[in-house]
Amino acid sequence: MLLGLCGGICSGKHAVAEYLIKQQNFQLLELKNNGSFRTDNDPRLRDQNDTISTDLRLEFETAESLLDFATKRWQEHWVTTHIWDVTTLDRFLQRPFFLLVSVDAPVSLRWKRFAERCRKSQLDPPHLEEFVLWNDNQLYEKDVGRAVLTDRAQLRLFNSSSSLAELHAALKALNLADEQRLRPNWDQYFMELASLAAQRSNCMKRRVGCVLVRERRVISTGYNGTPRHLQNCNEGGCPRCNRGEGGGVGLSTCLCLHAEENALLEAGRERIREGSILYCDTCPCLTCTVKIAQVGISEVVYSQGYNMDKDSAALLEAAGIRLRQFSPPRNGLIYLEESETR
């Protein structure tokens, strides 16, 4: 695994790297031309990996040689903060063992961290206005700004922690080294397909997607909406959904087919057979549950609950169908700790 850490000035990426190195047996990979952002070569903006022992870091002439090294040793744990341009990032993202993680924090907190860093080095800290200008140039300057990197991060950490102990505890719970972040397991893969199918839904009540699978092969997909050749729900095709009635109310008047129904109809009874698994981003309602039991589905996997979960679970259990909820590793924007200064 190779973790790439990116972020603004004093966002905490070096603190995260140091934790990974000292607590989770990662090793630091660096470039000799460190690419640090500088304003008139201001010494206050030098690279900040100085606290990491030279025994725990390796240095390379080029990003290509760094990547080649990590590729040959992809089963080991590596981390780098030396990714600065889109061309380099594109090369790294092609590798299945690479994960880009951005680290951010409130600009006022980052300025305080930077000022403290300057004082420790016996340098005059900048005024807040000067720091903000540095930050804006580093992130948003045309062609070289780092924001284009942070926007593509697969995992985004918001580091407002006021102590290293709190930061380390949050990182330990998060487990950045979880390999499911690199390559989704089968549950995560099919659930993401179900979520993608849901994006095609035109139902005014909620978007739901479903995938039918047998022997790790997709049989069919479905999403909720009005039947073929009828006006779409979001165009007024289903009066019940457009009236905004509560969940479970007036279901007998609803003209929308559910995602599970569409997937079952698409597959047909002869293609489902024993051992088939239904993935749905929302737990099936009672109406769909009855049909799922009828066609011989062996297992139902869902991610979000619904207001009929207990009734559906009881019916599936009576029919001998396994029901379980899937929770993938936390991703997207994650708050590591609430700041005491907020």
Side-chain angles (χ1 to χ4, degrees):
M1 169 182 275
L2 171 61
L3 285 179
L5 300 175
C6 62
I9 305 168
C10 276
S11 61
K13 54 187 178 295
H14 296 113
V16 174
E18 189 168 3
Y19 166 81
L20 291 170
I21 291 165
K22 294 182 178 180
Q23 302 295 329
Q24 296 195 350
N25 298 316
F26 278 72
Q27 194 164 356
L28 185 67
L29 304 182
E30 296 184 312
L31 297 177
K32 289 184 179 178
N33 178 17
N34 64 32
S36 295
F37 174 79
R38 298 178 185 275
T39 300
D40 298 327
N41 295 316
D42 195 308
R44 292 173 291 184
L45 290 167
R46 69 184 185 278
D47 193 66
Q48 290 298 307
N49 279 331
D50 300 337
T51 59
I52 299 173
S53 168
T54 54
D55 295 336
L56 299 174
R57 63 170 78 192
L58 296 173
E59 203 169 48
F60 298 86
E61 295 286 347
T62 65
E64 194 67 32
S65 61
L66 186 156
L67 183 58
D68 286 344
F69 174 86
T71 300
K72 294 172 184 177
R73 298 162 179 81
W74 65 272
Q75 291 179 310
E76 300 173 52
H77 285 174
W78 311 102
V79 61
T80 183
T81 59
H82 286 190
I83 300 175
W84 303 294
D85 62 84
V86 174
T87 302
T88 299
L89 177 61
D90 286 340
R91 294 281 291 133
F92 278 54
L93 287 172
Q94 290 173 359
R95 298 296 197 269
F97 56 83
F98 176 73
L99 181 71
L100 181 65
V101 179
S102 71
V103 186
D104 200 0
V107 66
S108 58
L109 180 58
R110 292 195 284 116
W111 170 61
K112 292 178 181 178
R113 292 173 182 167
F114 189 83
E116 180 63 25
R117 192 172 87 183
C118 289
R119 284 189 281 267
K120 287 182 179 179
S121 301
Q122 298 183 332
L123 297 170
D124 293 330
H127 296 294
L128 176 60
E129 293 82 359
E130 184 180 12
F131 179 81
V132 169
L133 287 175
W134 284 351
N135 177 73
D136 287 349
N137 287 336
Q138 186 207 41
L139 291 178
Y140 306 115
E141 188 174 350
K142 186 178 180 181
D143 299 326
V144 296
R146 306 282 173 81
V148 69
L149 306 182
T150 59
D151 285 348
R152 296 179 65 182
Q154 296 131 296
L155 185 65
R156 295 178 294 147
L157 307 181
F158 193 75
N159 171 34
S160 58
S161 176
S162 58
S163 77
L164 284 177
E166 291 174 350
L167 174 64
H168 292 175
L171 290 171
K172 181 179 180 180
L174 185 60
N175 188 17
L176 289 174
D178 186 346
E179 293 189 357
Q180 287 190 60
R181 301 185 190 281
L182 298 174
R183 186 181 187 224
N185 61 23
W186 289 111
D187 276 352
Q188 190 173 354
Y189 174 67
F190 291 125
M191 196 62 74
E192 288 181 6
L193 290 180
S195 295
L196 179 61
Q199 298 307 303
R200 283 290 303 166
S201 170
N202 59 63
C203 180
M204 292 298 291
K205 291 291 291 183
R206 69 170 67 205
R207 286 176 166 178
V208 181
C210 177
V211 174
L212 269 176
V213 176
R214 188 179 70 249
E215 297 176 353
R216 294 178 178 173
R217 297 291 184 270
V218 174
I219 303 172
S220 67
T221 65
Y223 55 86
N224 57 328
T226 50
R228 187 179 301 175
H229 304 310
L230 294 187
Q231 191 174 31
N232 288 333
C233 183
N234 62 349
E235 297 170 340
C238 177
R240 181 257 176 187
C241 289
N242 281 268
R243 285 195 298 269
E245 295 180 353
V249 177
L251 290 178
S252 61
T253 65
C254 183
L255 301 183
C256 285
L257 287 165
H258 289 193
E260 301 93 322
E261 292 175 311
N262 272 321
L264 294 173
L265 288 168
E266 179 68 23
R269 177 68 178 88
E270 69 281 358
R271 294 178 59 202
I272 294 175
R273 304 177 196 168
E274 186 177 351
S276 296
I277 302 175
L278 184 144
Y279 287 89
C280 194
D281 56 4
T282 304
C283 188
C285 69
L286 269 178
T287 301
C288 289
T289 300
V290 170
K291 296 169 184 175
I292 290 168
Q294 178 65 14
V295 298
I297 298 291
S298 298
E299 184 176 11
V300 173
V301 184
Y302 71 99
S303 58
Q304 302 175 44
Y306 190 50
N307 58 13
M308 300 180 184
D309 288 6
K310 291 183 179 180
D311 295 331
S312 296
L315 198 154
L316 289 172
E317 182 180 8
I321 300 171
R322 184 185 181 195
L323 174 69
R324 58 187 174 89
Q325 186 170 15
F326 171 69
S327 298
R330 294 173 65 197
N331 214 332
L333 178 62
I334 297 175
Y335 286 78
L336 293 179
E337 190 60 52
E338 290 294 328
S339 171
E340 295 180 359
T341 62
R342 293 177 67 187

